[in-house]
Amino acid sequence: MQINSVAELDVADGIATLTLDSAPVNALSAAVRDGLDQGFRAAIADETVQGIVLICAGRTFIAGADISEFDKAPTGAPLHDVLALIEGSPKPVVAAIHGTALGGGLETALVCDYRVATPSAKLGLPEVALGLLPGAGGTQRLPRVVGAEAALEMMAIGKPVRAKDALAMGLVDAITSEDALHADAVAFLKTKLDAPRTRIRDRTDKIAGQDPALFDAFRAKHARAFKGFRAPENIIKAVEAAVTLPFDQGMKREAELFWELFRSRESAAQRYFFFAERQTAKVPDLAADLPEIPVKRVGVIGAGTMGGGIAMNFLNVGLPVTIVEQAQDALDRGVATIRRNYQGSVDKGRMSAEQFEQRMALLTPSLDFEVLGEVDLIIEAVFEKLSLKQEIFARLDKVAKADAILATNTSFLDVDAIAAATGRPESVVGMHFFSPANVMKLLEVVRGAETDPQVVAAAMAIGRRIGKVAVLSRVCDGFIANRMMAPRMAAAQALILEGPLPWEVDRVMLDYGFPMGPFAMLDLVGLDVIGWDAATSSSSSVVEVLCEMGRWGQKKGGGYYDYDDKRRAAPSPIAEQLIRDFAAKTGVTQRAFSDEEIVARLLYPVVNEGARILEEGVAIRASDVDVALVYGYGWPVFTGGPLFWADGVGLAKIADALEEMGHAPSPLLRALAEQGKPLHQYRSAAPAARVIE
Ligand code: 3H9
């Protein structure tokens, strides 16, 4: 019997099966909630029914509340009422889980009598990633099933558990076979029709006598990871309520804590970011039915830090990689680094010895450029020198297969000038990885003036295949993420002459939520590698003089900070004196700055650069820019990224402040401020072909 557009009820042999079918992920939309409501009512009313199976069609069990409905007026049956109906069912209910039972999906399963799951299923309460807490009883029911500690881990960290582990924790009652979920669930339920029933809400065995010290210990353990986020603390408070209050009072507390989060800027930012991340894959002028360019073998040119890291991405997903170098020792060093990195994962228990062998077996080191004729995708990762890259691409043009994708990992050079060295610029694309390339999630796919749409689509797809978030950029100096962050660095360098010292500036950036401040970052990367040249050094800036003094950063034991032999940083009196001398020499008046002023000085220029990037059509939409900064530079996700954050600050305020600081606000920023329109929703009207003069 069809219940509504997304729910169907079938009764056979005394068992009712309610099947939800709402693509893509059976989220709890108004239709799904109505389907559950009416379906359960019908099953309960049917006298021939002795037990009920709840199951989903498609790729997954319910993956949560429908996030796209969050900011709309509520319609349909309220979730809490639906869950109360299921929990109060006079007939036993089993949730048959495949794919992912997440958020409201797992909360639905927790009001059923039993949960059975396929071996590949995952269960979790990941609301924390949206700046929320499980608000449909999850914070009260999960601790009653798995205990407070495991519940805290699942909800405050948000990582789903596999079926096998869920079984061990008591979260699922049985594992079914992978492809007979329904039949196995029915068989399971039939064995339970006469069993005594205890609702989870009435259980106390796992929470009775909980030592309250657990909560502070948990807070302390994760203090660093939780910094700046609001949701973890509310989750902890909700679990505290679960172990100290009767169920109904705990539910009231959960609701208060949920709504507090729901209204917060942090949650709005994280919900925006959830969709922003998924948007990046959608490129308006790339037809969905473009013929795919299959990538079965990859070539990497250059076995340095970048080349090695890039190669690992492909080995990790089972793609064979040929890595090419010019000299044997460089090749050996590169392969040894890859081996060492994998060995590190084995030592930490993150990889099995077998996986280690499999990955290394997929790697073919070679000194012979000609072998690149056998691969489908070639990524060049050599020294950042245009003439060198052009030479390599001219050689590649002769060697590579006709339909091979020729990618450059340049971080700022002109991809079109590189493409012009070949007779096939349509096959050339930028694939800009961020260091460490095997870790950082951002991949900038740089579309040249002549890159074929099919090649762009293939580069985006391969990015996703290796677990990256691929963001599309046009050609310009620095592309999106590096170009955006350059003004922060310039502003930081200028600011230290006006009063705040490097460690004060870094502290303000850490408080804002960055993993590292600009000066600590410079010291880590090395002051010398960002363009200092002893031959042309003119002692005209603090950074130049630090370089001249041999204070190149961590590796030399000193830069802006001094480092001990364990690389622990302390403010450097030498750097401080140098800064003060420079300030005196240049006649800049020093004064105290508030944290807010420091944030404005460093980050408003970044917002301005973002607006320019959009104006020029370098990025196709503002949310792509935010995603690039969060995944490329650790911009705190609870701000939503620079452009979402800017809307919260106020565009007019930013534009005025920029003018006061002597920066020209981008016309787009001014125009949106005047029109009262948000920047984070901006989409470029026409993608520009290229932006380098
Ligand atoms: C919650 O439950 C609150 C409760 O406590 C109740 C409180 C009262 N809603 O990621 P994909 C879309 S909060 C709406 O590319 P995958 C997604 O936008 C929720 N839409 O696929 C995309 O659309 P499009 C807690 C959703 O296979 C499409 O589905 N739950 C939702 O890589 C495919 O998504 C979560 O936080 C949703 N809940 O991964 C789970 N989920 O094709 C969030 C997905 O138009 N979801 N979409 O771009 C996920 O983690 C992953 O999507 C999932 C699938 C693992 C399910």
Side-chain angles (χ1 to χ4, degrees):
M1 171 176 54
Q2 198 67 37
I3 297 289
N4 70 0
S5 59
V6 296
E8 195 182 314
L9 186 70
D10 297 294
V11 181
D13 199 18
I15 301 294
T17 299
L18 181 63
T19 309
L20 300 173
D21 187 0
S22 178
V25 295
N26 290 307
L28 290 161
S29 61
V32 169
R33 295 195 307 275
D34 284 342
L36 281 167
D37 183 55
Q38 291 156 26
F40 268 92
R41 279 180 203 287
I44 292 167
D46 185 334
E47 282 172 14
T48 67
V49 169
Q50 293 174 278
I52 306 164
V53 174
L54 172 62
I55 195 165
C56 290
R59 66 200 226 210
T60 177
F61 191 76
I62 305 167
D66 188 336
I67 307 166
S68 63
E69 280 186 356
F70 274 10
D71 298 308
K72 299 178 187 153
T75 56
L79 183 58
H80 282 83
D81 294 355
V82 174
L83 298 192
L85 171 72
I86 300 174
E87 192 170 50
S89 160
K91 304 165 184 185
V93 183
V94 62
I97 297 168
H98 75 295
T100 44
L102 298 178
L106 181 54
E107 290 175 298
T108 305
L110 286 170
V111 293
C112 300
D113 293 80
Y114 306 102
R115 287 149 296 283
V116 298
T118 60
S120 62
K122 287 186 183 156
L123 298 89
L125 292 174
E127 285 87 344
V128 69
L130 302 167
L132 295 173
L133 56 74
T139 66
Q140 304 306 298
R141 290 192 181 88
L142 188 65
R144 285 173 161 78
V145 181
V146 301
E149 188 169 3
L152 280 175
E153 289 284 343
M154 274 184 75
M155 295 190 287
I157 313 294
K159 197 166 169 252
V161 295
R162 294 166 196 281
K164 183 163 64 76
D165 300 324
L167 181 70
M169 297 162 89
L171 182 56
V172 302
D173 302 283
I175 307 265
T176 67
S177 57
E178 192 64 56
D179 25 62
L181 174 63
H182 181 247
D184 288 356
V186 170
F188 176 89
L189 183 57
K190 283 186 172 170
T191 67
K192 300 286 184 189
L193 292 176
D194 299 319
R197 298 172 64 197
T198 314
R199 297 178 304 178
I200 288 174
R201 56 178 286 150
D202 299 326
R203 280 179 60 181
T204 51
D205 51 308
K206 290 281 174 74
I207 50 173
Q210 174 61 55
D211 179 1
L214 165 71
F215 299 101
D216 278 342
F218 188 78
R219 284 184 179 97
K221 182 174 162 198
H222 296 287
R224 219 183 127 123
F226 293 164
K227 198 173 146 226
F229 292 90
R230 226 177 237 267
E233 178 55 28
N234 280 25
I235 289 170
I236 298 170
K237 284 183 180 154
V239 178
E240 277 178 310
V243 304
T244 51
L245 299 175
F247 184 81
D248 286 330
Q249 281 183 39
M251 287 295 283
K252 269 179 83 177
R253 184 79 182 117
E254 177 189 273
E256 282 162 19
L257 293 163
F258 177 85
W259 288 108
E260 192 181 298
L261 292 176
F262 191 83
R263 285 188 288 265
S264 70
R265 187 80 200 156
E266 289 85 346
S267 176
Q270 287 178 267
R271 283 182 267 143
Y272 154 77
F273 195 79
F274 175 86
F275 289 110
E277 183 177 338
R278 282 155 181 83
Q279 276 282 309
T280 57
K282 295 171 188 139
V283 180
D285 70 322
L286 295 186
D289 56 356
L290 277 178
E292 197 191 327
I293 304 178
V295 174
K296 298 209 175 77
R297 257 201 104 80
V298 179
V300 174
I301 306 175
T305 314
M306 271 327 263
I310 292 170
M312 287 173 74
N313 286 304
F314 296 99
L315 301 174
N316 291 347
V317 296
L319 278 172
V321 176
T322 303
I323 191 160
V324 176
E325 256 296 350
Q326 274 181 315
Q328 189 66 49
D329 59 340
L331 189 61
D332 292 346
R333 262 199 314 275
V335 173
T337 306
I338 295 176
R339 181 178 285 280
R340 202 170 49 245
N341 284 339
Y342 280 140
Q343 188 58 51
S345 301
V346 174
D347 295 345
K348 286 185 200 123
R350 293 198 196 127
M351 187 187 280
S352 68
E354 196 190 346
Q355 284 170 322
F356 173 87
E357 292 305 333
Q358 279 165 357
R359 282 172 209 200
M360 289 311 294
L362 287 170
L363 182 67
T364 311
S366 177
L367 293 174
D368 181 9
F369 204 83
E370 303 285 317
V371 295
L372 294 171
E374 291 157 23
V375 308
D376 311 302
L377 163 67
I378 302 161
I379 304 176
E380 162 277 312
V382 304
F383 187 66
E384 286 281 30
K385 191 169 157 200
L386 183 61
S387 57
L388 175 64
K389 293 195 188 247
Q390 286 175 321
E391 197 185 298
I392 287 174
F393 274 76
R395 279 177 76 194
L396 270 183
D397 195 18
K398 299 201 179 68
V399 169
K401 291 201 296 200
D403 56 353
I405 300 166
L406 313 183
T408 170
N409 175 51
T410 183
S411 58
F412 65 92
L413 294 172
D414 182 350
V415 173
D416 292 327
I418 296 172
T422 72
R424 42 172 139 166
E426 68 282 0
S427 300
V428 178
V429 68
M431 286 178 78
H432 178 214
F433 291 80
F434 285 70
S435 186
N438 53 322
V439 177
M440 297 294 285
K441 267 194 93 163
L442 178 63
L443 172 71
E444 285 178 338
V445 171
V446 186
R447 181 177 193 168
E450 294 188 53
T451 313
D452 190 295
Q454 229 180 313
V455 172
V456 176
M460 300 286 289
I462 192 86
R464 279 194 297 281
R465 195 162 150 199
I466 58 175
K468 303 289 178 202
V469 175
V471 171
L472 189 62
S473 173
R474 284 284 181 178
V475 176
C476 72
D477 189 359
F479 314 126
I480 299 172
N482 285 348
R483 174 172 162 186
M484 291 271 292
M485 289 307 270
R488 188 186 75 159
M489 189 55 87
Q493 307 269 14
L495 186 61
I496 53 173
L497 298 182
E498 295 181 44
L501 288 162
W503 28 99
E504 287 163 349
V505 175
D506 279 357
R507 199 255 315 142
V508 173
M509 288 296 104
L510 286 178
D511 286 351
Y512 180 87
F514 283 100
M516 203 180 245
F519 295 102
M521 174 120 109
L522 267 179
D523 273 2
L524 175 71
V525 178
L527 271 53
D528 58 315
V529 296
I530 58 157
W532 179 73
D533 185 345
T536 54
S537 193
S538 59
S539 314
S540 60
S541 66
V542 172
V543 67
E544 263 193 332
V545 176
L546 285 172
C547 283
E548 288 164 17
M549 291 165 81
R551 294 184 64 92
W552 296 359
Q554 282 197 20
K555 59 188 169 190
K556 294 279 186 160
Y560 287 95
Y561 294 84
D562 289 331
Y563 295 89
D564 66 11
D565 50 4
K566 293 207 174 81
R567 292 208 172 189
R568 278 178 304 212
S572 163
I574 300 175
E576 181 172 343
Q577 192 54 52
L578 180 65
I579 292 162
R580 298 217 186 278
D581 292 348
F582 247 95
K585 207 160 61 188
T586 43
V588 184
T589 350
Q590 302 223 322
R591 67 172 176 92
F593 276 71
S594 69
D595 287 7
E596 203 191 335
E597 274 180 295
I598 295 177
V599 166
R601 269 296 187 93
L602 264 64
L603 302 188
Y604 290 2
V606 176
V607 172
N608 203 28
E609 198 63 43
R612 288 212 183 92
I613 278 174
L614 288 169
E615 231 163 38
E616 293 168 6
V618 168
I620 51 181
R621 53 177 97 79
S623 58
D624 280 10
V625 172
D626 281 337
V627 173
L629 273 287
V630 168
Y631 284 131
Y633 272 90
W635 194 290
V637 66
F638 53 76
T639 68
L643 306 187
F644 187 86
W645 172 74
D647 282 319
V649 175
L651 300 185
K653 180 176 166 184
I654 293 179
D656 292 346
L658 281 165
E659 253 164 26
E660 259 172 52
M661 293 174 202
H663 296 285
S666 97
L668 176 66
L669 197 63
R670 266 284 174 229
L672 292 175
E674 273 157 26
Q675 294 157 16
K677 286 191 184 153
L679 177 58
H680 73 274
Q681 283 172 4
Y682 184 83
R683 286 164 176 269
S684 296
R690 52 177 284 113
V691 188
I692 282 185
E693 299 308 316

